Amino acid sequence: HRALAANPKLWEVLDLHEMKKAGERLISALSLARYRHLKVVNLEFAQDIEDRHFLRLKETGAILLEELEFLNLNACQKISDTGIGAATSLCPNLRALSIYWIVGLTDASIEHVVKNCKQIIDLNMSGCKNISDRGIQLVADNYQGLQKLDITRCIKLTDDALQKVLEKCSALESLNMYALSSFTDKAYTKIGYLGNLTFLDLCGAQYIKMRKFDISKFILVRTCY
């Protein structure tokens, strides 16, 4: 036991996905010194994880996950904007955040993220239907080194917001815009200026003329509109 506990490489990932009582398990784990060098926390589809668990961790003031790089909160439906604020305050050096299908989140969550985590390069907001242009513009203004962005089914976004992302986030390598039918060529034409883009998902696009930009350089393009 002592040998295992003393090996830091064994404790860089905390995987609680789909587990019951995930909130209490998370708190228990982070109370142990060996988990202070975590790089990945996976809570995808974890049960019973709520705002109060992250708030309790924040309120103790004793836990700061400075080495955490990836936080997966996919489908944690009991997490609200408040929970996102508390969670991101614990990991200032986060590089990848996935909040897929937490449908109650709003632009306030994005405010918390850009305030607390300055080094995000991979952001998955798929299914966050209440995030609007204001939220995506915060992303564009604060994450100009962003490499991966998933805005699948973020149905409140308009051409103006997408244009801002395409203009400012020139390092994008992967852009997923699945099931977004409202964008038009006003925004799509700017995709051609993303020199590093290798993955593009436009499945569901309705108002697009592909001749407007060159897609020959992409490794994978999905279009079924």
Side-chain angles (χ1 to χ4, degrees):
H1 174 78
R2 285 194 299 271
L4 292 174
N7 187 337
K9 289 293 183 181
L10 295 177
W11 311 102
E12 291 183 349
V13 176
L14 180 59
D15 189 350
L16 299 174
H17 82 281
E18 298 182 356
M19 287 192 180
K20 295 180 179 179
K21 298 182 179 180
E24 296 303 322
R25 289 172 183 262
L26 177 67
I27 291 172
S28 296
L30 295 184
S31 69
L32 302 174
R34 61 177 175 265
Y35 279 112
R36 297 302 167 81
H37 301 288
L38 278 171
K39 294 186 181 299
V40 176
V41 171
N42 184 3
L43 294 166
E44 185 173 43
F45 290 96
Q47 299 181 39
D48 310 313
I49 186 80
E50 302 178 21
D51 289 350
R52 61 187 176 89
H53 297 114
F54 289 113
L55 289 169
R56 193 191 312 176
L57 289 169
K58 180 181 179 181
E59 288 164 1
T60 65
I63 294 174
L64 187 62
L65 302 174
E66 293 187 280
E67 298 178 34
L68 194 70
E69 297 178 357
F70 177 39
L71 177 60
N72 187 340
L73 296 173
N74 287 348
C76 293
Q77 294 290 356
K78 295 180 180 179
I79 298 293
S80 72
D81 296 328
T82 299
I84 294 297
T88 54
S89 71
L90 302 173
C91 40
N93 297 312
L94 201 66
R95 294 176 65 78
L97 175 65
S98 192
I99 50 177
Y100 160 83
W101 210 251
I102 310 182
V103 295
L105 299 186
T106 70
D107 296 331
S109 282
I110 306 303
E111 288 182 13
H112 291 309
V113 174
V114 300
K115 177 184 176 182
N116 295 326
C117 307
K118 306 296 185 183
Q119 301 182 46
I120 296 289
I121 60 172
D122 184 344
L123 183 60
N124 183 350
M125 303 187 297
S126 175
C128 295
K129 298 181 178 183
N130 289 309
I131 290 177
S132 72
D133 282 5
R134 180 166 164 266
I136 202 68
Q137 286 171 1
L138 285 170
V139 171
D141 290 338
N142 290 275
Y143 297 135
Q144 295 180 22
L146 196 66
Q147 295 175 10
K148 294 183 179 181
L149 178 64
D150 190 336
I151 52 175
T152 293
R153 293 191 176 90
C154 291
I155 57 177
K156 289 189 175 182
L157 302 184
T158 70
D159 277 344
D160 291 337
L162 180 58
Q163 274 187 302
K164 193 161 188 178
V165 169
L166 298 176
E167 290 168 357
K168 292 198 170 186
C169 300
S170 58
L172 276 172
E173 299 173 2
S174 174
L175 180 58
N176 194 324
M177 299 188 293
Y178 177 81
L180 292 173
S181 60
S182 59
F183 294 145
T184 71
D185 280 348
K186 178 182 177 182
Y188 287 135
T189 52
K190 296 186 179 295
I191 294 175
Y193 295 103
L194 298 178
N196 297 319
L197 199 65
T198 56
F199 175 86
L200 175 64
D201 191 339
L202 296 174
C203 189
Q206 294 184 12
Y207 306 107
I208 181 172
K209 298 180 178 63
M210 295 301 286
R211 67 175 182 274
K212 290 285 187 177
F213 55 87
D214 178 17
I215 63 171
S216 61
K217 62 183 178 181
F218 299 148
I219 293 174
L220 178 60
V221 180
R222 287 207 328 144
T223 57
C224 45
Y225 48 89

